[in-house]
């Protein structure tokens, strides 16, 4: 029983891999390194004291996928590989549909051809679009407002049809909210190859004096302190949610759509202040204009995850800030 993890050296997948390896699962990782580094493979082996194969390549490469499936007896796939910048998806939608939707179709075709039916997909809260009510629960209408969110919703639609076509498919679409934080070893964490798009890795670079200040995009939203509010979730909580999702699909085939969030929103300023308090570092800030397409506030209903997965996030905002910084310090000194 081996699990294939696509995008395996990326931020979330590497933490899921660490959790799964620590639970004695057999893994194979695939990544084209467009947003990660090969050194994460050695770090994962070091922190778990386990050896496992890594393939450098693209999820759209059918020949390579067939080779991976023939080299290993894969029974389940966790599909994290994807591009995730909303801004880039607006500029280059074809790139996003090709990678995120095309890549998933290629992977599913090979799985179907070889009779592997357990599939966990990294979906996103962006599938919901402008909130009609909050918290978003899984039956909230899905009207994504950018090509990235649309690419995730298209995959979900494909997965629904696939599950309906053959009862052997066992699929979990996990709609992540805002993952941050790092593994307790501080060996792995979020390390984007280019300029970060998300608040936490950007703030880490400001704290490390690699950037002069953090731009806060808008402080005139109708929120308690005027800045945007998001449902930040510790990446280790998210990783553990994947283990629960695997147990669910192994027991109950069909299609499952589940939010992975904490159910609690926190503002940009709250995140910055918490970071400053737990690390003692200061974050110079500038207030910028609102960004097109940013929502004032959104957060998850975490009820379904609690009922269906018997899972809920346990780590605090302080844990998220401290582990991110400890990873950053470890990375800077290595
Ligand atoms: N981080 C978030 O805020 C967030 C929120 C919701 C959903 N997601 C989704 O979760 C997944 C993982 O996100 P992440 O934050 O870890 O991003 P990440 O960029 O750190 O990880 C994605 C990994 O996939 C690899 N990859 C991309 N396209 C590939 C391809 N065609 N073939 C092989 N490898 C490929 C990248 O090199 C990278 O290592 C993505 O699908 C993303 O859309 C992320």
């Amino acid at each position: 029983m081996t699990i294939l993890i696509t995008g395996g050296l990326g931020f979330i997948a590497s933490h899921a891999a660490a959790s799964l390896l620590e639970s004695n699962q057999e893994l194979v990782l695939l990544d084209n390194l467009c947003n990660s580094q090969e050194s994460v493979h050695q770090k994962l082996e070091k922190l778990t004291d386990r050896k496992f194969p890594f393939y450098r390549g693209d999820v759209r490469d059918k020949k390579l996928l067939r080779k991976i499936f023939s080299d290993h007896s894969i029974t389940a796939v966790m599909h994290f590989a994807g591009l995730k910048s909303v801004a880039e998806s607006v500029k280059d939608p074809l790139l996003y549909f090709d990678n995120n939707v095309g890549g998933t179709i290629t992977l599913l075709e090979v799985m179907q051809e070889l009779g592997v039916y357990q599939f966990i997909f990294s979906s996103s809260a962006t599938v919901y679009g402008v909130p009609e009510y909050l918290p978003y629960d899984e039956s909230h209408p899905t009207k994504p407002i950018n090509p990235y969110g649309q690419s995730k919703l298209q995959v979900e639609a494909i997965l629904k049809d696939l599950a309906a076509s053959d009862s052997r498919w066992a699929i979990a679409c996990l709609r992540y909210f805002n993952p941050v934080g790092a593994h307790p070893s501080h060996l792995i964490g979020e390390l984007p190859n280019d300029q970060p798009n998300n608040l936490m890795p950007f703030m880490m670079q400001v704290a490390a004096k690699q950037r002069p200040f953090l731009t806060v995009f808008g402080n005139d939203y109708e929120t308690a302190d005027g800045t945007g509010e998001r449902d930040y979730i510790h990446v280790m909580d998210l990783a553990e949610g994947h283990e629960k999702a695997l147990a669910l699909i192994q027991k109950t085939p069909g299609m499952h759509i589940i939010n992975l969030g904490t159910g609690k929103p926190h503002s940009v300023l709250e995140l910055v202040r918490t970071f400053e308090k737990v690390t003692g570092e200061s974050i110079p800030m500038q207030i910028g204009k609102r960004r097109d397409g940013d929502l004032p506030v959104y957060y998850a209903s975490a009820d379904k995850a609690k009922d269906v997965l018997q899972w809920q996030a346990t780590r605090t905002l302080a844990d998220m800030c401290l582990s991110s910084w400890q990873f950053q310090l470890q990375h800077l000194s290595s």
Side-chain angles (χ1 to χ4, degrees):
M1 252 194 52
T2 301
I3 304 164
L4 169 62
I5 303 207
T6 74
L9 299 185
F11 171 45
I12 304 170
S14 59
H15 290 77
S19 279
L20 290 160
L21 288 163
E22 282 156 6
S23 304
N24 280 323
Q25 300 274 9
E26 298 296 324
L27 304 186
V28 181
L29 269 53
L30 166 69
D31 202 301
N32 67 3
L33 304 184
C34 72
N35 198 33
S36 53
Q37 290 164 15
E38 194 154 0
S39 59
V40 172
H41 179 214
Q42 289 83 50
K43 289 179 180 163
L44 273 170
E45 290 193 329
K46 184 173 168 197
L47 74 91
T48 58
D49 201 17
R50 295 270 312 273
K51 293 272 175 216
F52 60 91
F54 164 65
Y55 290 79
R56 179 176 185 168
D58 200 290
V59 83
R60 291 162 291 186
D61 180 348
K62 220 174 214 182
K63 217 166 127 199
L64 173 64
L65 289 178
R66 288 199 183 105
K67 175 171 168 40
I68 298 173
F69 278 84
S70 84
D71 286 353
H72 308 276
S73 55
I74 290 165
T75 50
V77 177
M78 291 192 185
H79 180 39
F80 295 88
L83 300 174
K84 63 168 181 179
S85 159
V86 166
E88 189 184 37
S89 79
V90 173
K91 283 198 202 104
D92 195 351
L94 287 178
L95 177 70
Y96 274 65
F97 290 115
D98 178 39
N99 199 4
N100 294 2
V101 183
T104 309
I105 293 175
T106 305
L107 177 60
L108 292 167
E109 281 171 348
V110 174
M111 289 177 68
Q112 181 167 264
E113 181 183 307
L114 302 173
V116 178
Y117 295 104
Q118 293 176 4
F119 191 72
I120 295 183
F121 175 60
S122 298
S123 190
S124 161
T126 55
V127 298
Y128 292 117
V130 178
E132 294 184 11
Y133 57 85
L134 285 171
Y136 290 131
D137 57 28
E138 290 80 354
S139 25
H140 185 284
T142 46
K143 296 178 191 164
I145 55 173
N146 51 62
Y148 167 68
Q150 191 63 47
S151 74
K152 293 290 178 187
L153 189 60
Q154 288 186 2
V155 171
E156 287 197 3
I158 292 167
L159 292 171
K160 262 185 219 162
D161 287 344
L162 200 58
S165 74
D166 185 330
S167 60
R168 286 173 294 184
W169 281 103
I171 298 171
C173 282
L174 303 178
R175 291 177 176 164
Y176 311 153
F177 279 68
N178 290 73
V180 294
H183 189 269
S185 67
H186 312 130
L187 283 174
I188 56 169
E190 185 167 13
L191 206 59
N193 282 356
D194 299 319
Q195 172 166 321
N197 297 298
N198 296 339
L199 175 58
M200 185 67 98
F202 204 98
M203 186 162 77
M204 290 311 101
Q205 296 186 356
V206 175
K209 317 248 177 316
Q210 293 167 340
R211 294 181 187 276
F213 56 83
L214 173 74
T215 303
V216 177
F217 297 110
N219 67 348
D220 54 355
Y221 286 113
E222 287 186 7
T223 57
D225 63 25
T227 63
E229 294 181 1
R230 295 289 178 269
D231 185 341
Y232 297 103
I233 174 166
H234 197 297
V235 67
M236 291 311 297
D237 279 326
L238 200 64
E240 289 159 14
H242 286 74
E243 290 194 74
K244 298 283 190 180
L246 183 64
L248 171 72
I249 62 171
Q250 285 171 342
K251 230 177 34 224
T252 317
M255 171 83 175
H256 306 271
I257 294 182
I258 304 169
N259 286 339
L260 294 184
T262 64
K264 285 184 227 92
H266 293 285
S267 74
V268 174
L269 291 186
E270 230 181 314
L271 188 73
V272 173
R273 300 295 176 229
T274 304
F275 177 83
E276 291 183 324
K277 191 168 160 207
V278 297
T279 64
E281 300 294 326
S282 69
I283 302 292
M285 278 186 282
Q286 272 197 358
I287 303 299
K289 279 199 268 178
R290 293 180 181 194
R291 275 188 310 196
D292 280 351
D294 269 357
L295 296 168
V297 51
Y298 66 82
Y299 56 102
S301 160
D303 293 347
K304 186 170 178 186
K306 201 170 165 190
D307 288 353
V308 177
L309 299 179
Q310 283 84 53
W311 169 92
Q312 59 184 328
T314 58
R315 293 159 177 94
T316 63
L317 202 61
D319 298 331
M320 302 179 210
C321 290
L322 195 57
S323 61
S324 296
W325 182 233
Q326 284 167 333
F327 164 68
Q328 186 74 24
L329 289 177
Q330 175 101 5
H331 173 69
L332 291 173
S333 69
S334 65

